[in-house]
Structures are given as structure tokens and as C-alpha cells.
Amino acid sequence: MSNPYFDRVISPMNEASSALHSPSTPSTPTAPGATRSNALQNRITSVLSASYADLEIRDALSILDERKLQNTAEARRNLRLDVQEELIQCNGEIVQDFGKVAEQLKRIGTAIANLNASCVEMRKHVAASSRETGPMLEEAKSILADRRQVETKQQLLEAFNKHFVVSDADLATLTSTAEPVNDDFFKIMTRVKKIHEDSQVLLGSENERLGLEILEQSSRRLNAAFQKLYRWVQREFKSLDMENPQISSAIRRALRVLAERPTLFQNCLDFFADARENSLSNNFYSALTGAPVDADHPVLGKAIELSAHDPLRYVSDMLAWAHSATVSEREALEVLFISEGDEIAKSIQAGIESEPWARSDGEGAVPPFDGRKALNELVNRDLDGVFRQLKQRTEQVVQSHEDATLAYKISNLITFYASIFTDLLGDGSSLLDILRPLSDTALRSFRSIMRDHVAKLQTDFAISTEDLAPPDFLIDALETLKVLIKSYDTSVGNTSRVERIQGFQPILQEALDPFLAGCQNITTRLRKPNSHIFALNCLLATKEVLGLYSFADQSEALQPKLEVHEQELTQAMHNWFLHESGLQQLVENVTSVNDLSSSYKDPRQIVGIAQQLDSFLPTATEDARAFLAQLENKSLARRIIEEAAESFCDDFLNIETLVVQADELRMKQVNGDVEDEVWLREIFPRTEDEIRVLLS
């Protein structure tokens, strides 16, 4: 074998060496110097033109470098032979190796043929075995499938029995009245409810008959359980301490579960309400009379009928007892309807869905359960008997006492407690339907008594007092009005001023207006100025009493009347000043200077008036006070005297001015002859300043 690679590598080197060491002989003879020069030039050109980028040349150079050959003539001559010898040796080794491989391949072929023969024989045996065991395998497969099916059915049966079947012991706990109602009862009942719900799923499957049987069976068991629970709750209510009606957790849980049957739940509440009403009515009667209901519950404290020293205290104690009982009853029942309100509401809704025939209307719309409303309704029913007794006894008190003040106080007291019960039980409480008419009854009694009293005083309305002071009937009416105002102020509570004023107006119409009308009747029968003094005394006394409370203040209505009487009395005082001083004749008759001309001929009238004025002035103020001595308001009397005196001074100033002007005119008429003349200023010497000083 020859190696072309080595041929390609070595041949150029041989050619190059031959070119270096065996230069060609020129065909034509040349000069020796020229020949050597051309050969050297050719070799240089050949070396320079060789491309060392060729891969074969570079590989050849690398091999030569690895052999570390010396660049000698012998090495260059033997290089090709050495390479070919190595190549021949390598090819021989390769041929030997491939011979060994061929022998091994022959042995492998023989082994494969033997294996193929064995496989064919084994296939024959396997096919025969398969034909013999096939029926047995099919039968075993069928048996295994049946076994798995049986195991599945067994698991289903166990699960069904575990979920849908209730043991006899559990049934006895659930339905037997001999067994107690405890946690086990509620657990079993919850399980039966679950069975009842899940049985409805079976109705939609192929086991419809089984579902119907389980549904019917679970319904019977649930009904029996609810009946047992219903009877147990009634027994517990009977044994419940009515003096301390704290509902235990077991009863609360039973009621919460029983709410799923709204009819039974309502029957239990009715039973409880009747029992509580009877108990509270007996307790109220015991509190009134002091007689205990039984030996186990003695009455604490004195009886209300014995400790109440007046009718108002008696009614107040009864209302206070009713309020205390209401608060206690509400607190005792609040645990059931407030803390358990959501649970009861859910149970009632579920019960309504399960009892469609129990719905209140045909459309099936049922309002949601309100725990606070149910609590208030139950408290109303519990205390209904107490409030009926309270109403009866309060009406007896009002009817047996002909006292308007007492009737009004009772009405206000009931109104006050009605506002408290409104905050406690709501505005729709049935107890308020008892209290509010009772308050109206007391108020009607007050009005009737007041009208009868006014009718009896008709004769007194025509008789005045000698000292012009407010009559006794008005004083008594004002004293009564003070009591009524105070009672009203303590009963109205937190209301606005406008509401308080409006609420008290009917009382003023009954307790004050008739008496003021009587005073007005007396005023019309008196002469002036006594009528004005009497009217002012009555109106001022009334204003003083009404001014004690803002809601009763009638200043706006009374002030115009007071001003009219004050003006009239001031005018009467002014007329008194003129009459007592003698100036009235001058004021009425002298309006100009000409009216005084006759006084110069006969000055006796002016002299008499001047003398009367001089005698009047020293005691004028004291006499004026005596004139208004019957006016009880001294500050008003002083103001009236001052205003009347001011008007009197103005009148005197006018007269004084006319007198001075008349003298001046007279002096002009006599032309200075004044010796025998009478001058008005001399016989009427008082000045306006002197009058003011004397009347101050």
C-alpha cells in the first residue's frame, strides 16, 4: 500500500533537493560565470515564489521537524525510502488486525444462528403454554373483577350504614322521654338532620325509592325529637324559678333548635309568657298588700299600700315597681334574644321554609326575625297583667280624690314613666297603650275638677276686695299653678323649649285663664282708678308666678295689658295732681293770654288757686303715695308718680308762661302806669323750678 499523503509531502522535497543539488545542464554552452549566476538566481526565485500557506507543505515541514533530521546529503537521499518503509510496516499491521476481526465476526455469526434456533424453539413452547393457560387466566380475571366489585359494594354499604343508619341506642336517646336532653341528644339530632338533607340527594338518583324511605323515616324521627324537646322545654319552664328567670344555656340551646319549628317555638314562648305574667301579677299584688305568694318567696320590705302616705306616692311606688320589674325581666331575657338572635333568626327561617303552611300570608313573604323586637314583645306580654292592675288602682285613686293638683301630678308622673318605657321597650310597646290612656284619664279628671271649681267661684268673680289686692280665688289659683308648673317641669324630660311651651298652654287655659277672666269681670265693675290698681295687682302677681319658668312665661301676652293699665293709672294720677293743686281749672279754661284778662279785674280766683297750690305742694308726694297705696308694686307706683309729676310740671310751665305773657301784655296796655294795677305774677309767684324741687 502506498500513502499518497507522504508522496505529496516527499515529492516536492525531492524535487527541491534535486533542484538544489543537481542543477540542470544548459542545452547551449554558456560562460561559466553566467551559468552560476543564473542558477543561483533561479533557486532564489523558486524559494521566494513558494507558498508556505499550503496545508500540505506545513504538515510536511512539521513531520520533518518531529523527526529531527539533519540537512545532510545522505539524509536527503534516504528520506523517501525511510518513509515508504514505515508506511509498508503500518499497512502490514493493519492487515493483521483486520484478519483477527474477521475471525471473531465468524464466531459471532455462529452464536447468533444458535440463538435464533433457541428462540424459535422457545416460541413454540410459549405458544403451547398460552393455549393451555388462556381459559384459566380469563376465569381468574373475571374472579378478580367480581372481588373488586364486591369490595366496592361492601365499602358503600358500610358508608351508607355509617351515614344513614341510626343505632337503636341513639334512637332511644333521640325520641325516648326517659332519656335526658343533653349534648348527646343534640349531636344525634344534628346527625338525623344531616341524614334528612342528604336523603334528598338520593331522590334524584336511581335509588329514588330508598331516598323516599330514608326521607320519611328521618322526618318521623325529627318530629319525635322536636316533640320531646318541646315537652322538655315546657317542663323546664315549669320548674324555672320565676323570681330569678335566668334562662340556662341548655334551655337557650333548646329554644334555638326548637326555633326550626316556628309553631312549637311560639307555643313555648306563649307558655313562658303566660307563666311570667301570672307570676309577676302575683308578685305585684304581694308588693301592694304585703301578702306573700308562697312560703318560699316572702315579701321584702313594707307593702306599698301601707308605706305610701299619700295618693301620689302610692301611684309613684306602683310605677317604680313596674319599671324595676320591666328592667329585670328585660335583662333576664336579653341573653336569649340578643346574644342568640342571629342563630334563632336562622333557625326560624329554616323552619319557615320547612313549614310553608305556617306562613302568615299567601305569598309566603315573612319578615326577618328581629331579636330586640321579640324581646320587647315578650316583656310586654309578661308585664301585661301588672299594668292592668296598675291602671285599675290608679283610676281608683284619681276618681276617689277630687283634687285637681293630684290628678295633674299623676298625669305628669305617668307621662314621665311612659317616656322611660318608650326608651326601654320602643314606641310600639303595648304597655304604652295602657299608660297613655291612663295619663289622659288623669288629665281629663284635672280639667273636670278645675271647671267644677271655676263654676263654684262664679259668685266670687263679682266681688272685689276692699284693699284692691288680688282676690283669694286668684291667689289660690296661682299657688295651684306653681305646683302644676313644678310638676310639669319635672315630667317633660329632655324636650325643646318650644315643645315645653306648647305642652303647657292647655294647662294655663284650664288653671289660669278662667281666674283672669274673673278678675277682668271685677275690674269692669270698679271705678277708676281703683279698677286699674286692681287689674295691675292681679296681672303683676300672675306675671311674677309665670316668670319662674321660661315655658310658662306669658310676659308677651300680659305686657300690653299692663302698659294700658299703667298709662290709665298715670293719667289718673296726673288728674289727681291737677285737682288737688287747683290747677285743673286753669289748665282746662286757660289756653291763651286773653283767657287771663278777666283775672286783672277780679283776681280772687287766681289768688285762691295760688293758695291751694301752696298748701298742696309740701305734702304732694306723700299724698300721691297714699293715693297709690293699694298698688302692691311700689316701684311701679313710684314710676307712675314720677311720670304724673312730670306731666303736672309741664302743665304748670304752660300756665306760668301764659301768666308772664299776660303781665307783659297788660303793661303795654296801661302805658307804664303800674301803681294801681294788679299783676298776676305777684299773686301767682310759684315757678316751674320750685314745683319740680317740691315734687322731687
Side-chain angles (χ1 to χ4, degrees):
M1 293 178 68
S2 62
N3 193 335
Y5 174 77
F6 289 105
D7 292 340
R8 289 193 301 271
V9 173
I10 297 172
S11 58
M13 295 179 62
N14 293 334
E15 292 176 358
S17 62
S18 61
L20 289 173
H21 299 285
S22 301
S24 61
T25 302
S27 59
T28 58
T30 57
T35 301
R36 287 192 299 271
S37 177
N38 290 334
L40 181 58
Q41 185 176 3
N42 290 335
R43 290 183 180 180
I44 292 172
T45 301
S46 176
V47 171
L48 293 175
S49 63
S51 176
Y52 295 98
D54 190 359
L55 293 177
E56 293 181 354
I57 294 175
R58 285 193 297 177
D59 292 340
L61 293 175
S62 298
I63 292 172
L64 291 176
D65 186 62
E66 291 176 358
R67 288 178 175 272
K68 298 180 180 181
L69 296 176
Q70 299 294 327
N71 189 11
T72 60
E74 185 179 359
R76 287 193 296 271
R77 285 193 300 269
N78 295 330
L79 177 61
R80 183 179 184 89
L81 295 176
D82 293 338
V83 171
Q84 288 179 351
E85 183 181 0
E86 290 179 2
L87 183 60
I88 291 170
Q89 290 177 356
C90 289
N91 290 337
E93 293 176 356
I94 290 172
V95 170
Q96 291 177 359
D97 292 337
F98 273 105
K100 295 178 180 179
V101 171
E103 292 178 358
Q104 292 178 356
L105 288 175
K106 288 179 181 180
R107 288 195 298 270
I108 291 171
T110 303
I112 290 173
N114 295 332
L115 288 174
N116 288 333
S118 299
C119 288
V120 171
E121 188 66 24
M122 290 176 67
R123 286 193 188 96
K124 292 178 181 179
H125 289 290
V126 169
S129 299
S130 298
R131 287 192 300 271
E132 293 176 358
T133 60
M136 297 175 62
L137 292 175
E138 291 294 333
E139 184 178 358
K141 187 184 296 182
S142 176
I143 292 173
L144 291 175
D146 293 340
R147 179 182 178 182
R148 286 193 296 270
Q149 187 176 4
V150 170
E151 290 177 351
T152 302
K153 290 182 178 180
Q154 181 67 28
Q155 293 175 356
L156 290 175
L157 180 60
E158 292 177 356
F160 180 84
N161 291 334
K162 183 178 180 181
H163 187 75
F164 287 99
V165 177
V166 182
S167 64
D168 294 338
D170 291 345
L171 286 177
T173 302
L174 185 66
T175 59
S176 176
T177 56
E179 297 293 333
V181 176
N182 49 23
D183 291 340
D184 293 337
F185 171 83
F186 290 109
K187 290 179 181 178
I188 297 171
M189 191 174 189
T190 303
R191 183 187 171 194
V192 175
K193 290 179 186 177
K194 182 65 175 175
I195 292 173
H196 183 76
E197 294 176 359
D198 294 343
S199 63
Q200 299 178 8
V201 179
L202 298 177
L203 297 178
S205 64
E206 59 184 6
N207 298 319
E208 182 177 355
R209 180 178 177 182
L210 178 61
L212 289 173
E213 292 178 356
I214 295 175
L215 184 63
E216 181 181 359
Q217 187 182 53
S218 60
S219 297
R220 289 198 306 269
R221 291 172 178 174
L222 282 177
N223 290 334
F226 277 114
Q227 288 294 330
K228 174 184 176 180
L229 188 62
Y230 169 67
R231 290 189 292 271
W232 180 83
V233 170
Q234 284 191 328
R235 288 196 302 271
E236 290 296 318
F237 278 157
K238 288 180 181 179
S239 61
L240 185 66
D241 184 7
M242 295 304 176
E243 293 299 322
N244 184 24
Q246 295 291 338
I247 297 180
S248 63
S249 59
I251 297 180
R252 293 202 307 271
R253 184 177 183 182
L255 288 175
R256 187 170 65 248
V257 174
L258 199 62
E260 297 179 14
R261 293 293 187 270
T263 304
L264 299 179
F265 179 74
Q266 188 61 43
N267 290 339
C268 283
L269 293 185
D270 293 341
F271 177 83
F272 179 77
D274 293 340
R276 287 301 298 159
E277 180 184 1
N278 184 41
S279 175
L280 290 173
S281 298
N282 293 335
N283 292 339
F284 181 62
Y285 181 78
S286 298
L288 290 175
T289 61
V293 179
D294 51 50
D296 296 333
H297 299 92
V299 178
L300 301 178
K302 293 183 179 180
I304 295 177
E305 293 180 348
L306 300 178
S307 61
H309 51 79
D310 62 358
L312 182 63
R313 171 69 181 276
Y314 177 63
V315 176
S316 176
D317 288 348
M318 288 193 296
L319 287 170
W321 192 97
H323 174 257
S324 176
T326 303
V327 173
S328 300
E329 193 76 7
R330 181 182 175 85
E331 290 177 352
L333 300 179
E334 196 169 20
V335 178
L336 173 63
F337 291 100
I338 302 304
S339 62
E340 306 288 346
D342 294 339
E343 297 297 330
I344 291 179
K346 294 177 182 178
S347 299
I348 289 179
Q349 185 62 34
I352 291 173
E353 294 175 357
S354 64
E355 294 183 2
W357 56 86
R359 294 174 181 171
S360 58
D361 53 20
E363 299 179 357
V366 179
F369 177 79
D370 187 351
R372 194 168 296 278
K373 180 180 179 182
L375 169 64
N376 293 337
E377 290 177 354
L378 187 57
V379 173
N380 290 335
R381 294 180 59 184
D382 294 349
L383 291 162
D384 187 64
V386 172
F387 275 77
R388 285 199 303 269
Q389 292 187 53
L390 187 148
K391 178 182 178 182
Q392 180 181 4
R393 292 176 178 272
T394 304
E395 288 177 347
Q396 291 176 355
V397 170
V398 173
Q399 294 172 2
S400 60
H401 293 79
E402 294 292 332
D403 187 350
T405 303
L406 175 62
Y408 183 73
K409 286 182 177 180
I410 291 176
S411 175
N412 282 340
L413 181 64
I414 296 173
T415 302
F416 172 73
Y417 272 97
S419 64
I420 295 178
F421 282 108
T422 300
D423 297 336
L424 190 62
L425 301 176
D427 191 57
S429 173
S430 60
L431 301 181
L432 297 177
D433 296 336
I434 298 176
L435 287 180
R436 287 168 179 166
L438 186 59
S439 175
D440 295 338
T441 300
L443 193 58
R444 284 196 300 270
S445 177
F446 160 75
R447 291 171 179 168
S448 176
I449 295 172
M450 289 301 301
R451 290 170 185 173
D452 293 342
H453 180 61
V454 171
K456 294 177 182 179
L457 294 175
Q458 290 300 321
T459 56
D460 295 341
F461 288 168
I463 302 174
S464 63
T465 57
E466 294 180 359
D467 57 356
L468 301 181
D472 293 338
F473 66 82
L474 180 61
I475 294 175
D476 294 340
L478 293 178
E479 290 297 327
T480 301
L481 191 60
K482 287 181 182 179
V483 178
L484 299 181
I485 292 174
K486 185 176 181 180
S487 175
Y488 179 80
D489 183 57
T490 57
S491 65
V492 291
N494 297 326
T495 56
S496 64
R497 183 175 181 273
V498 176
E499 293 176 348
R500 292 160 70 93
I501 292 174
Q502 293 176 352
F504 196 68
Q505 288 303 314
I507 307 304
L508 292 177
Q509 294 174 2
E510 298 291 340
L512 180 62
D513 291 352
F515 301 98
L516 290 180
C519 294
Q520 181 64 28
N521 185 38
I522 295 175
T523 301
T524 57
R525 296 174 180 269
L526 293 175
R527 294 181 179 180
K528 298 179 181 180
N530 290 344
S531 61
H532 300 301
I533 295 175
F534 177 77
L536 285 173
N537 287 335
C538 295
L539 292 175
L540 289 173
T542 303
K543 182 180 179 181
E544 181 181 1
V545 172
L546 296 180
L548 297 176
Y549 295 89
S550 60
F551 61 85
D553 190 9
Q554 298 292 312
S555 298
E556 295 182 359
L558 297 178
Q559 191 62 33
K561 298 179 181 180
L562 289 171
E563 291 177 355
V564 170
H565 288 291
E566 182 179 350
Q567 292 174 1
E568 293 290 337
L569 189 57
T570 302
Q571 184 62 39
M573 187 79 254
H574 177 226
N575 294 336
W576 179 84
F577 272 110
L578 294 176
H579 179 269
E580 295 297 325
S581 64
L583 289 181
Q584 186 173 5
Q585 186 176 1
L586 293 178
V587 171
E588 292 177 353
N589 298 323
V590 177
T591 58
S592 64
V593 176
N594 296 328
D595 295 334
L596 294 174
S597 59
S598 61
S599 298
Y600 288 98
K601 297 178 181 181
D602 186 8
R604 287 179 297 178
Q605 182 180 8
I606 298 297
V607 172
I609 292 174
Q611 292 175 352
Q612 185 177 354
L613 178 62
D614 290 339
S615 62
F616 166 73
L617 288 176
T619 60
T621 304
E622 295 298 328
D623 294 341
R625 292 194 184 100
F627 181 79
L628 297 180
Q630 293 176 321
L631 184 62
E632 295 182 351
N633 192 324
K634 300 306 177 182
S635 61
L636 177 61
R638 183 168 57 253
R639 184 170 68 250
I640 291 174
I641 292 173
E642 290 174 355
E643 292 177 357
E646 183 67 24
S647 299
F648 176 76
C649 291
D650 293 340
D651 292 339
F652 183 85
L653 179 61
N654 293 332
I655 298 299
E656 181 185 7
T657 302
L658 292 175
V659 168
V660 173
Q661 292 176 356
D663 284 348
E664 292 176 353
L665 181 61
R666 183 67 178 173
M667 185 174 290
K668 292 179 181 179
Q669 291 176 354
V670 299
N671 294 323
D673 188 6
V674 298
E675 293 181 357
D676 297 331
E677 289 294 330
V678 177
W679 302 103
L680 298 181
R681 190 57 178 166
E682 293 179 356
I683 61 177
F684 197 79
R686 292 289 184 182
T687 63
E688 186 258 345
D689 293 336
E690 293 175 350
I691 298 298
R692 290 185 180 277
V693 171
L694 292 174
L695 294 180
S696 61

